[in-house]
Amino acid sequence: MRVLIADDEPLARTRLETLLRDCPGAELVGSVASASAALAALPELKPTVLLLDIEMPGVDGLALAERIARMAPPPQVVFCTAYAQHALRAYELKAADYLLKPVRIERLREALERARKLHAESAAARPHLSGMVRGMRQRVPLDEVIALLADEKYVTVHYQGGTLLIEDSLRTLEQTHPGRWLRLHRSCLIPRERLLGLNTLADGRIVAQLAGSTLQPEVSRRNLPTVRAWLRHP
């Protein structure tokens, strides 16, 4: 299992890193100090499990869990916190487990095993898009999609491995996968969890900053309020 740690306390991160060395099958792929850093790292590191603190500056762990729950499939979240009062909300968000600090090695091993089983079940039903690449049909998992750009006839799927042409319209994709996409303009959809922020160019155009990509699709004036609202309240 690929494990990412997100905790603003250096000592807490160090303890989890040490405990993970005694957890067979667990590979530490990253350790970050904030929820926003974890969100930005997810597309590149592709963790199986996220060991997540709750009370952190800026975006807290619960808000991050809400965002990544929309991924397909999402990493399994194991909350590691000093506070017991968030447990009910954590399980409403389908967290794999809820560990109280100081985390004990036995409980961490149990949580990782539970997360492994849940991830296997989720991956078995991994949704995807199907289209053509150089004349051959290919499937792209939804969690690898960066953006969908439409022209007159086709939709180009930009994903982590390149591009793919599909015949489904953007409207059809919105209906097939409700709640997954955020419309930037009439010819562009992105996965909601990919949106990190907005940049204003010298000519006044506003473009989206996307996790795991240098692609910066433009945001239309019509869709800008919705996009800004999503950034404020994901």
Side-chain angles (χ1 to χ4, degrees):
M1 288 178 295
R2 297 172 60 82
V3 181
L4 173 64
I5 297 170
D7 195 311
D8 65 312
E9 299 177 5
L11 290 179
R13 293 198 305 277
T14 299
R15 176 174 174 77
L16 287 174
E17 291 167 9
T18 301
L19 292 177
L20 282 172
R21 298 187 191 122
D22 292 321
C23 295
E27 175 192 4
L28 179 64
V29 297
S31 184
V32 297
S34 68
S36 58
L39 182 63
L42 289 177
E44 179 181 356
L45 298 180
K46 297 182 181 178
T48 312
V49 182
L50 175 60
L51 300 181
L52 180 60
D53 189 20
I54 290 182
E55 298 199 1
M56 294 183 286
V59 178
D60 67 19
L62 293 172
L64 175 60
E66 289 181 14
R67 292 191 69 164
I68 66 177
R70 301 181 180 92
M71 296 179 180
Q76 296 299 318
V77 173
V78 174
F79 284 107
C80 302
T81 176
Y83 304 96
Q85 65 265 30
H86 301 297
L88 178 59
R89 180 58 181 148
Y91 287 117
E92 289 175 348
L93 294 170
K94 296 181 170 53
D97 212 332
Y98 191 94
L99 307 183
L100 290 177
K101 296 176 179 178
V103 175
R104 294 182 293 110
I105 184 64
E106 297 83 2
R107 284 290 290 119
L108 180 58
R109 287 172 177 165
E110 290 175 4
L112 291 175
E113 177 59 19
R114 184 175 292 112
R116 184 191 65 78
K117 292 179 179 178
L118 290 171
H119 181 78
E121 294 171 2
S122 177
R126 196 180 189 191
H128 64 273
L129 299 177
S130 178
M132 303 300 293
V133 176
R134 294 184 293 275
M136 299 180 62
R137 185 156 295 278
Q138 182 172 320
R139 304 200 320 175
V140 173
L142 286 186
D143 58 309
E144 294 186 9
V145 174
I146 295 168
L148 305 170
L149 298 175
D151 57 23
E152 293 182 0
K153 188 175 181 181
Y154 295 102
V155 168
T156 300
V157 180
H158 291 259
Y159 67 104
Q160 292 170 344
T163 60
L164 177 78
L165 291 180
I166 60 175
E167 296 180 353
D168 300 293
S169 68
L170 295 185
R171 184 175 297 277
T172 297
L173 292 168
E174 284 180 311
Q175 294 171 348
T176 306
H177 307 283
R180 179 165 185 81
W181 313 109
L182 188 64
R183 186 174 286 273
L184 300 189
H185 57 75
R186 65 183 181 85
S187 300
C188 179
L189 298 176
I190 63 167
R192 291 173 180 265
E193 70 275 5
R194 289 276 179 184
L195 183 64
L196 295 179
L198 300 174
N199 293 326
T200 302
L201 303 182
D203 59 7
R205 290 182 297 130
I206 296 177
V207 296
Q209 180 184 0
L210 305 182
S213 176
T214 58
L215 187 68
Q216 291 190 321
E218 186 175 352
V219 181
S220 70
R221 293 185 180 276
R222 178 178 181 179
N223 293 98
L224 185 58
T226 301
V227 174
R228 282 178 168 160
W230 165 251
L231 284 171
R232 290 194 300 270
H233 304 289

